[in-house]
Amino acid sequence: MGIKRNEIEEKYKWNLESIYSSEEELNKDFEEVKSLLNEIKKYKGILSDSWENLYNTLYLYEKILRISENIYVYTHMKQHEDTRNNKNQALSGKAEMLSTEISTITSFIVPEIIEIDENDMNKYMESEKLKQYKKFIDEILRKKPYTLSPKEEELLALSSDIANTAENTFEMLSFADVKFPEIEDEEGNKVRVTHGNFSKFLQSKNRTVRKNAFKSVYETYEKYKNTFASTLSGSVKREIFYSKARKYNSAIEASLFEDNINLKVYENLINVISKNLDDMYKYLKIKKGFLKVDELHMYDLYTPLVSKIDIKIKYEDAKDIILKALKPLGDEYLSIVKKAFDERWIDVYENEGKKGGAYSWGSYDSHPFILLNYKDDLNSLFTLVHELGHSLHSYYSRKNQPYLYSHYKIFVAEVASTLNEQLLMEYMLNNAKTKEEKLYILNYYLEQFRTTVYRQTMFAEFEKIIHEKSESGEALTSEDYCNIYYDLNLKYYGENTCVDKEISFEWARVPHFYSNFYVYKYATGFSAASILSHKILSEGKEAVDKYLDFLKSGGSDYPLNQLKKAGVDMEDEGTIQIALDIFKNLVKELENEM
């Protein structure tokens, strides 16, 4: 049996009471949002009549979103503590219903703003009170070609609750209902495989443990392949439905439009990676030699090259390492990281029913929160520093931007997290005590490239293929998903790897496929972070100041503009190539260590 939540020390659990100290407080906010929704209804049909009506509508809208964000974040994080808890399931469901109600009632705002005569809008914007909403309004007007009539917008908003069914079903099936078998660990003990310990088993020195963990997970997903195919197809169809309804050319165009990203950025990524697969093949060939195996299997990929050392990093030690590694970012940045450690921003350890993986979340009125499933290993250390990057980005955004501009676009979301990882990587390479330790960390650095750049691009290509096939009228079955996914693994891992048939079911366990066209941002973010971290280490304060300005800018500008100001042009193919050249040099360095 796993650890129960009440068996974990308080200091290792996040303090959600800092958002709501009682159920009464939560219910009070539910009621306030309901009241504000009744008030904002009065402006439907008359929003464009005067600048006062426009201002009052936007003021109420902002207030509704701000309070409801507290509700949504709190109820879902409570559910994630133990996904089996019926009360918390009900509360998060109630929050989702409220979100749907908000979307429905406020759906008149965008189409009515779009209908305002240009001359009238220019006069309205002379008001000092409305100037704070200028970018918000400009962003709405940018979407004018893809915005429908008020009645049609209301219908789309009403559909959002149903549209989330596929993702919700996936989460409940994958994280709450599916149980993996027990296997024998390295000591011969029977241990049940979980989402939290799976990665640890894949890094085991014992090949039988790795293989059994790998097979136990993917053979379990195989049993549910048709259900997972149904949920994934439902999610794909949702995106296609909304893109067609709004008259985009495709689902991917609709998704990229949100961040104001050119389709060329997405396609460049896949093209540049595809041209640089030889370096990946070379790395895997070297890995095969290090591991002394006849065949390199998929369950061998996460295995450290050095078996003589075992880097164990307890959580308390991880905190000290991170503070030293992030020192180049300056004292102010470090003081905020210390607050995260000292003020219970972080839910550290796995417990029964807890949501797997890791994330950084929070609301405008709360500090950031981090969900972890910490194991005493290097991967957990890097996961922690990664999520702290997200949290510091959110912290700076919220402190320096008004609510409506505090949410940075997803396109830049992975830059701060990956930059933190790269600073940690450099610190650990520079402070390795032995050749074996340096080799271990060098391999870990290469694995970050493999999993964050190459693997996420493979995911991105998978998404692109399945959406295009679905848009052309193909009904995709579990067999189709498996075949597409298996072929991509063959392409990305090459002839030096034995691509096991079980990997064809991996698509069924990837939650990011339900956040359409998200994963490519890991690869672009890694590339941008590579350049920025190099600038910070080589240029010092000037580069740090530009980087902090980037973090503080939140959602006040478009992502490509923000990165250009920080010193990175993501529309240039060469930016991705710079990251891959770093990978190439690391492979050569690894080869020299053989």
Side-chain angles (χ1 to χ4, degrees):
M1 294 291 289
I3 297 172
K4 291 182 170 56
R5 187 162 183 84
N6 60 13
E7 296 172 340
I8 297 172
E9 286 186 70
E10 283 296 305
K11 67 179 179 178
Y12 297 122
K13 293 188 280 192
W14 54 21
N15 179 24
L16 297 188
E17 288 72 27
S18 61
I19 304 179
Y20 291 110
S21 60
S22 66
E23 199 170 326
E24 288 73 24
E25 280 189 12
L26 175 63
N27 289 331
K28 186 179 175 184
D29 269 3
F30 267 112
E31 292 306 313
E32 182 167 5
V33 171
K34 294 272 189 182
S35 173
L36 290 169
L37 285 172
N38 284 330
E39 197 172 337
I40 204 169
K41 282 179 188 176
K42 299 171 186 174
Y43 292 95
K44 185 176 181 180
I46 62 167
L47 180 151
S48 62
D49 287 359
S50 66
W51 74 261
E52 289 91 348
N53 285 3
L54 176 57
Y55 169 77
N56 290 337
T57 302
L58 294 179
Y59 174 80
L60 286 170
Y61 183 58
E62 184 176 14
K63 197 170 181 182
I64 289 164
L65 291 182
R66 189 165 167 176
I67 298 169
S68 64
E69 183 180 71
N70 288 328
I71 294 170
Y72 194 92
V73 167
Y74 173 81
T75 56
H76 281 72
M77 286 197 295
K78 282 299 288 182
Q79 186 195 4
H80 295 163
E81 292 179 352
D82 186 348
T83 56
R84 305 165 305 176
N85 185 300
N86 290 330
K87 181 182 178 183
N88 291 338
Q89 284 179 22
L91 279 175
S92 65
K94 185 180 176 184
E96 286 180 13
M97 289 171 65
L98 180 65
S99 292
T100 300
E101 189 177 356
I102 291 167
S103 296
T104 304
I105 291 173
T106 62
S107 63
F108 72 92
I109 295 173
V110 170
E112 288 197 29
I113 287 175
I114 283 172
E115 288 174 0
I116 296 175
D117 178 79
E118 188 177 350
N119 291 328
D120 289 340
M121 179 63 83
N122 290 336
K123 287 177 185 175
Y124 292 171
M125 292 312 297
E126 291 173 5
S127 161
E128 283 298 319
K129 282 189 171 183
L130 268 176
K131 282 180 181 175
Q132 63 182 301
Y133 296 113
K134 184 181 187 310
K135 183 181 180 293
F136 180 77
I137 292 170
D138 287 347
E139 182 68 3
I140 288 172
L141 296 177
R142 186 174 75 88
K143 296 175 181 177
K144 188 171 184 175
Y146 308 107
T147 304
L148 309 179
S149 70
K151 190 65 182 174
E152 288 169 325
E153 287 292 336
E154 186 177 351
L155 283 171
L156 286 186
L158 280 168
S159 72
S160 63
D161 205 24
I162 302 168
N164 290 329
T165 301
E167 183 178 0
N168 292 338
T169 303
F170 163 79
E171 287 197 352
M172 295 309 295
L173 178 60
S174 190
F175 297 121
D177 294 342
V178 166
K179 294 289 182 287
F180 304 120
E182 290 183 339
I183 63 167
E184 285 190 4
D185 65 13
E186 291 178 347
E187 286 75 42
N189 301 313
K190 285 277 188 182
V191 182
R192 183 173 296 282
V193 179
T194 66
H195 289 286
N197 66 22
F198 180 47
S199 63
K200 185 179 179 182
F201 283 132
L202 287 183
Q203 295 171 50
S204 171
K205 298 186 189 76
N206 187 317
R207 201 177 193 205
T208 302
V209 171
R210 301 198 299 266
K211 182 178 179 180
N212 289 342
F214 178 84
K215 285 184 173 292
S216 75
V217 166
Y218 292 116
E219 286 175 358
T220 300
Y221 275 98
E222 183 178 8
K223 292 175 185 176
Y224 300 93
K225 63 182 180 181
N226 295 318
T227 306
F228 282 115
S230 176
T231 59
L232 183 55
S233 291
S235 180
V236 170
K237 287 173 183 174
R238 173 190 67 187
E239 301 310 325
I240 292 171
F241 166 73
Y242 284 125
S243 66
K244 283 184 176 178
R246 296 194 179 282
K247 299 177 177 60
Y248 289 97
N249 292 319
S250 63
I252 189 171
E253 182 185 86
S255 177
L256 297 182
F257 184 84
E258 286 299 311
D259 290 341
N260 201 22
I261 304 296
N262 193 311
L263 180 59
K264 188 179 176 184
V265 173
Y266 196 101
E267 291 174 338
N268 278 349
L269 173 67
I270 294 173
N271 292 336
V272 175
I273 295 292
S274 296
K275 291 172 187 174
N276 284 268
L277 287 172
D278 284 345
D279 292 318
M280 170 58 67
Y281 301 157
K282 184 178 180 182
Y283 166 57
L284 294 173
K285 187 177 181 180
I286 295 170
K287 186 157 198 168
K288 180 181 174 184
F290 263 107
L291 296 176
K292 296 181 173 62
V293 292
D294 294 332
E295 292 181 324
L296 186 73
H297 284 261
M298 302 304 288
Y299 49 79
D300 296 320
L301 294 179
Y302 296 88
T303 315
L305 297 185
V306 186
S307 59
K308 292 178 183 176
I309 67 167
D310 190 7
I311 299 180
K312 291 286 186 186
I313 303 168
K314 292 189 179 297
Y315 178 68
E316 295 299 331
D317 295 331
K319 296 195 298 189
D320 292 335
I321 292 168
I322 285 170
L323 289 171
K324 290 173 183 173
L326 300 182
K327 197 172 181 182
L329 291 172
D331 293 339
E332 180 188 82
Y333 192 96
L334 289 182
S335 70
I336 302 165
V337 174
K338 287 175 186 173
K339 283 165 72 79
F341 292 147
D342 297 339
E343 297 177 7
R344 290 177 57 202
W345 292 15
I346 306 168
D347 205 74
V348 181
Y349 297 114
E350 182 183 13
N351 58 255
E352 287 183 4
K354 184 176 174 180
K355 182 180 173 68
Y359 64 65
S360 170
W361 208 8
S363 67
Y364 187 78
D365 294 306
S366 79
H367 57 66
F369 289 90
I370 294 173
L371 179 137
L372 293 178
N373 283 276
Y374 193 89
K375 307 294 177 188
D376 295 338
D377 57 20
L378 196 62
N379 188 58
S380 292
L381 169 67
F382 276 93
T383 300
L384 174 55
V385 83
H386 178 100
E387 298 304 336
L388 281 166
H390 287 309
S391 290
L392 270 286
H393 195 174
S394 298
Y395 182 90
Y396 273 113
S397 293
R398 292 168 191 159
K399 290 291 180 184
N400 291 278
Q401 298 296 331
Y403 174 78
L404 287 178
Y405 309 138
S406 65
H407 299 84
Y408 47 82
K409 294 287 188 181
I410 293 173
F411 185 82
V412 295
E414 296 306 324
V415 174
S417 54
T418 308
L419 184 137
N420 270 15
E421 285 193 73
Q422 292 184 349
L423 290 178
L424 175 59
M425 209 94 64
E426 291 291 338
Y427 171 81
M428 297 196 75
L429 275 175
N430 292 332
N431 289 275
K433 297 178 180 65
T434 64
K435 181 182 177 181
E436 286 76 20
E437 189 173 327
K438 183 179 180 182
L439 190 59
Y440 187 104
I441 295 163
L442 183 61
N443 173 69
Y444 192 88
Y445 204 164
L446 284 159
E447 281 297 289
Q448 294 305 298
F449 271 98
R450 181 181 72 78
T451 57
T452 310
V453 179
Y454 285 93
R455 185 166 180 258
Q456 299 298 332
T457 302
M458 183 183 77
F459 285 175
E461 191 168 355
F462 175 73
E463 277 195 280
K464 189 169 185 288
I465 291 168
I466 64 174
H467 279 78
E468 285 174 350
K469 284 183 177 293
S470 189
E471 283 169 331
S472 69
E474 286 190 46
L476 295 174
T477 65
S478 61
E479 186 178 359
D480 294 321
Y481 287 128
C482 287
N483 290 337
I484 294 164
Y485 197 81
Y486 188 79
D487 288 344
L488 284 171
N489 274 271
L490 287 174
K491 171 186 170 180
Y492 279 78
Y493 291 101
E495 61 184 18
N496 293 313
T497 307
C498 180
V499 180
D500 303 275
K501 67 178 181 64
E502 289 89 353
I503 201 67
S504 64
F505 299 102
E506 187 179 36
W507 58 267
R509 65 177 285 263
V510 180
H512 283 105
F513 289 153
Y514 295 81
S515 303
N516 63 311
F517 302 106
Y518 181 103
V519 291
Y520 87 99
K521 297 164 191 176
Y522 285 111
T524 54
F526 194 100
S527 302
S530 296
I531 297 168
L532 291 173
S533 61
H534 176 76
K535 285 177 177 287
I536 286 166
L537 291 171
S538 60
E539 297 173 14
K541 189 177 184 304
E542 184 181 351
V544 171
D545 289 344
K546 281 185 179 180
Y547 176 64
L548 294 182
D549 284 343
F550 160 74
L551 297 183
K552 292 172 184 176
S553 64
S556 62
D557 199 353
Y558 295 117
L560 295 180
N561 294 339
Q562 290 173 308
L563 287 172
K564 275 181 185 174
K565 288 174 187 173
V568 181
D569 183 359
M570 289 309 300
E571 291 180 298
D572 184 352
E573 248 187 45
T575 301
I576 305 296
Q577 190 63 52
I578 288 169
L580 298 183
D581 288 343
I582 294 171
F583 177 78
K584 185 175 187 174
N585 290 331
L586 288 169
V587 172
K588 286 179 183 175
E589 193 174 341
L590 179 66
E591 191 174 29
N592 292 335
E593 295 288 341
M594 287 187 75

